[in-house]
Amino acid sequence: MNINRRGFIGLGAVSAAAIGLVACGGDETPGATTAPTTATGGETSAPAGAGGKVGVSMPTQTSERWIADGEAVQQQLQDAGFEVDLQFANDDIPTQSQQVDQMITQGVKVLIIAAIDGTALAPQLDAAAAAGIKVISYDRLIRDSENVDFYVSFDNFKVGVAQGQSLIDGLAERFPDENPANIELFAGSLDDNNAHFFFSGAMSVLQPKIDAGEFVVQSEQTSIEQAAILRWQQETAQKRMEDLLTAHYGDKKVHGVLSAYDGLSRGIITALENGGYSGETFPIVTGQDAEIASVKLIVDGVQYSTIFKDTRLLAEQAVKAAVALLEGNEPEANDTETYDNGVKVVPSYLLDVTTVTDDNVVEALVDTGYWTQAEVDSGVAE
């Protein structure tokens, strides 16, 4: 495991602020997928549990991105003096609901939740509010509840814009003489609020090209409902790409694919390779999350790009927000207008993102310590 990628970033002030908060114990949930709660981080660490207990609910361990998020949040909370109950729900909505219920019963002071389904946790949030527990929605906005105190995420519309622009740039680079270029569109899971921002951001730059006849979607599947991949599953994306090739590309070539996430990208790439695509005319495929297997594909010239979202910085903002809420303060927000969850506009802190191609892998990912050069070369996290 790459400790630098998961590790402590600039939370000395947060640690100091957290030490004075009231401690709260409670037994761990039997049988839950729970990370250890022993504080780490050397000289920067506050006493374990001095800041109180925080429940951290992550959606799955099937994605390397969410494992990285969970570990980064856990470590930085522990370094700030909190006891941490970190659980992964294995992409199962009832499991996540039960885990959050148990965290509330155990008396956590703050919940940090990356929801599987942004509409499924309203009962748990009602119970949290009744118990005086603050709720931070982590990266995926929890919808249809007034009991969301803060939202930390990346600028998700900008993520989509970056993906769409990367597809445009890649097509111009690899297929300058193809006019129109044939593209297909893959979006995320409809129950993830972010998927809608990603898709609308991408289409804000792609739709004018489609309208002008520069790009053609041969399948005519241009709505997010048609492009969505439930639970962001790689296998589902591969099957959809195979079906599109069979139905629409018998005598045509696909030149580019908008993919909202690296896992989808790898499924799409497998389908394309099985369909005979290879070499310098391999379609442009975008992605997101800088997963190491996809970074390796970028270096190898197969996947064109990914969007890097530094989970260490997101974890840092989640910890800062937790400390502020426990002190009775409003967390620092840089967006108080965009994220309406259907009941309220949730104050938010949004982080910026970086488009990564073969040209800047080292600068963006190795020099920042997110991945080591050895990991990039092997395509495997150490």
Side-chain angles (χ1 to χ4, degrees):
M1 191 63 67
N2 185 334
I3 298 301
N4 288 337
R5 185 172 71 258
R6 314 300 192 216
F8 173 86
I9 293 183
L11 282 175
V14 177
S15 299
I19 293 173
L21 299 177
V22 178
C24 175
D27 296 331
E28 297 301 327
T29 305
T33 307
T34 306
T37 57
T38 302
T40 61
E43 294 180 357
T44 61
S45 296
K53 188 170 186 177
V54 177
V56 180
S57 175
M58 291 288 157
T60 184
Q61 288 177 300
T62 62
S63 166
E64 145 189 310
R65 178 265 159 103
W66 290 113
I67 297 173
D69 277 88
E71 292 177 348
V73 172
Q74 179 191 33
Q75 179 172 335
Q76 294 192 34
L77 282 168
Q78 289 173 341
D79 289 342
F82 293 97
E83 182 183 357
V84 183
D85 182 3
L86 168 63
Q87 301 194 37
F88 295 84
N90 301 319
D91 272 327
D92 183 69
I93 295 169
T95 296
Q96 186 167 46
S97 299
Q98 182 182 38
Q99 289 173 346
V100 173
D101 280 332
Q102 291 169 338
M103 291 175 185
I104 294 168
T105 300
Q106 291 171 6
V108 298
K109 296 298 184 181
V110 176
L111 286 166
I112 299 174
I113 302 173
I116 298 169
D117 182 336
T119 65
L121 293 174
Q124 284 69 37
L125 268 59
D126 288 345
I133 299 169
K134 299 296 185 180
V135 175
I136 298 170
S137 186
Y138 185 93
D139 200 40
R140 295 176 171 180
L141 183 63
I142 299 173
R143 297 189 54 81
D144 300 336
S145 174
E146 64 179 350
N147 301 311
V148 181
D149 296 287
F150 201 69
Y151 179 46
V152 293
S153 189
F154 297 89
D155 189 328
N156 296 310
F157 186 85
K158 186 180 289 187
V159 170
V161 171
Q163 289 175 330
Q165 188 59 51
S166 179
L167 181 59
I168 292 169
D169 294 343
L171 289 167
E173 175 185 319
R174 191 171 296 174
F175 301 103
D177 299 324
E178 294 293 343
N179 192 4
N182 295 322
I183 68 170
E184 293 296 335
L185 311 173
F186 282 70
S189 191
L190 290 177
D191 54 12
D192 182 346
N193 194 65
N194 287 354
H196 300 265
F197 280 96
F198 300 150
F199 194 76
S200 59
M203 293 306 286
S204 74
V205 294
L206 293 177
Q207 192 65 54
K209 297 284 188 181
I210 296 170
D211 293 343
E214 297 176 43
F215 294 168
V216 174
V217 182
Q218 292 292 340
S219 68
E220 299 183 354
Q221 296 179 15
T222 58
S223 71
I224 188 171
E225 290 78 14
Q226 294 169 312
I229 302 297
L230 182 64
R231 300 284 183 270
W232 303 86
Q233 289 296 311
Q234 178 173 328
E235 297 80 4
T236 306
Q238 178 179 336
K239 178 63 166 58
R240 178 169 182 258
M241 189 73 243
E242 290 169 347
D243 291 345
L244 292 176
L245 291 174
T246 299
H248 303 286
Y249 290 92
D251 58 348
K252 300 180 179 69
K253 293 291 184 181
V254 59
H255 302 111
V257 183
L258 174 75
S259 170
Y261 158 60
D262 285 344
L264 305 186
S265 307
R266 294 194 295 275
I268 292 163
I269 287 167
T270 299
L272 291 169
E273 290 175 335
N274 291 344
Y277 289 85
S278 64
E280 295 181 356
T281 59
F282 197 82
I284 300 298
V285 181
T286 66
Q288 178 180 184
D289 284 344
E291 293 193 344
I292 192 59
S294 285
V295 174
K296 172 63 171 172
L297 289 173
I298 290 171
V299 172
D300 291 344
V302 181
Q303 185 170 322
Y304 181 75
S305 65
T306 188
I307 305 302
F308 172 44
K309 305 188 304 187
D310 195 331
T311 56
R312 300 166 299 182
L313 301 179
L314 188 60
E316 182 177 352
Q317 289 303 321
V319 174
K320 288 180 177 179
V323 170
L325 289 169
L326 281 173
E327 291 182 328
N329 298 324
E330 293 291 331
E332 177 188 358
N334 60 10
D335 188 316
T336 57
E337 298 178 356
T338 304
Y339 287 89
D340 187 334
N341 76 348
V343 177
K344 63 186 283 189
V345 176
V346 182
S348 307
Y349 193 98
L350 307 180
L351 295 162
D352 209 349
V353 299
T354 302
T355 301
V356 176
T357 66
D358 185 43
D359 292 334
N360 67 335
V361 164
V362 173
E363 176 186 358
L365 301 177
V366 178
D367 291 350
T368 62
Y370 195 78
W371 295 117
T372 66
Q373 187 62 56
E375 288 171 320
V376 170
D377 291 341
S378 68
V380 178
E382 295 177 353

